[in-house]
Amino acid sequence: MNFTDKIIWITGASSGIGLELSKQLAARGAKIILSSRRADLLEKIRDELPGGKSRHWVAALDLADPEALFAQAPALLAKFESVDILINNGGISQRSLFLETDFSVFRRLMEVNYLGTVALTKVVLPGMVERKSGIVVTISSVAGKIGSKLRSGYSGSKYAVVGFMDCLRAETKQSGIHCLTVCPGFIKTDIDINSLNAEGKPQQHRDHATENGMAVDVCCNKIINAIEQHQDEVIIGQGISGLAPTIRRFFPTFFNYLSARKEYR
Ligand SMILES: NC(=O)c1ccc[n+]([C@@H]2O[C@H](COP(=O)([O-])OP(=O)(O)OC[C@H]3O[C@@H](n4cnc5c(N)ncnc54)[C@H](OP(=O)(O)O)[C@@H]3O)[C@@H](O)[C@H]2O)c1
């Protein structure tokens, strides 16, 4: 697939997977719309991409505030002649046991990871359907395929996103839209530092599994390959984090036994 001059809207572009996708896709000639909450940081990132501000845009938004997004949408969409690819990537994780976790944490995870994805897709999809062309990519997680300790809210939000994308794929296939769901395992980014604890505060420390996870550039290269190959769903991870959904599918009792014994951080 030729990404030259394709307009690609990427959420979570200030860090980790979104930042790396922005760099790799810009290097392949795409024009990037960079989104996250931190406008200053996004502007700095945009200026360092090839072509800088003459080719790329910043659209600061809070995924947990869909009303603001809907209000901003007409002015934002007027800036770009079309959006060829939407990458719903922005999100937050969790490291806390269900019984200890405040209800507000479950709400926050759903608002950012699930409703934020639905809201931005609502903004972008009508233009794609009108043009009968477009790709919607959503970054779920291996946690959207299997459950494990410390992630009851995160997993719920990521399962929700998988179901959303399955429905969207069915509804938009006839309109020429392609929907790709990406389920990464442990990828070395700041996701662990930013993960919410039982009180809903970022835990502010590294986890062993994330620190030893797949390099973010390797992960993003695989995401771009999956876009090019028009895959519907891809699981990207090394070791147990890549194999877990398959183990659970074929050996559910064994998988459930393991996940009750182990605690992955
Ligand atoms: N790394 C992994 O091991 C892993 C595994 C599976 C799935 N994932 C998924 O991959 C995606 C990217 O995560 P990452 O690993 O790159 O983590 P990261 O380095 O912590 O980046 C998260 C990104 O999401 C943005 N974000 C967070 N809350 C937001 C909000 N309310 N509104 C708008 N943007 C928001 C952040 O930007 P601002 O702070 O600037 O707003 C940041 O750019 C997430 O959906 C995550 O669940 C990651």
Side-chain angles (χ1 to χ4, degrees), residues 12-18 36-38 61-64 89-92 108 112 139-141 154 158 184-187 189-191 194:
S14 61
S15 175
I17 293 172
S36 85
R37 289 164 299 179
R38 290 174 285 176
L61 57 84
D62 184 348
L63 289 166
N89 162 76
I92 37 170
R108 175 92 189 146
V112 175
I139 313 297
S140 176
S141 172
Y154 179 65
K158 292 297 186 176
F186 294 114
I187 312 296
T189 68
D190 286 348
I191 188 118
N194 297 325

Side-chain angles (χ1 to χ4, degrees), residues 193-262:
I193 291 175
N194 297 325
S195 288
L196 304 183
N197 63 18
E199 291 82 43
K201 302 266 184 295
Q203 68 165 5
Q204 298 287 16
H205 64 77
R206 290 256 166 238
D207 290 335
H208 176 81
T210 305
E211 214 174 351
N212 292 288
M214 180 182 276
V216 70
D217 58 329
V218 176
C219 167
C220 291
N221 193 261
K222 288 179 186 291
I223 294 173
I224 293 169
N225 285 344
I227 296 172
E228 287 183 302
Q229 290 162 12
H230 279 231
Q231 292 190 36
D232 291 336
E233 186 174 284
V234 62
I235 291 167
I236 299 172
Q238 57 194 21
I240 190 71
S241 86
L243 291 172
T246 311
I247 298 174
R248 189 201 166 195
R249 185 165 168 218
F250 293 108
F251 308 101
T253 309
F254 175 63
F255 177 85
N256 290 337
Y257 167 78
L258 279 186
S259 66
R261 285 174 64 95
K262 296 279 283 182

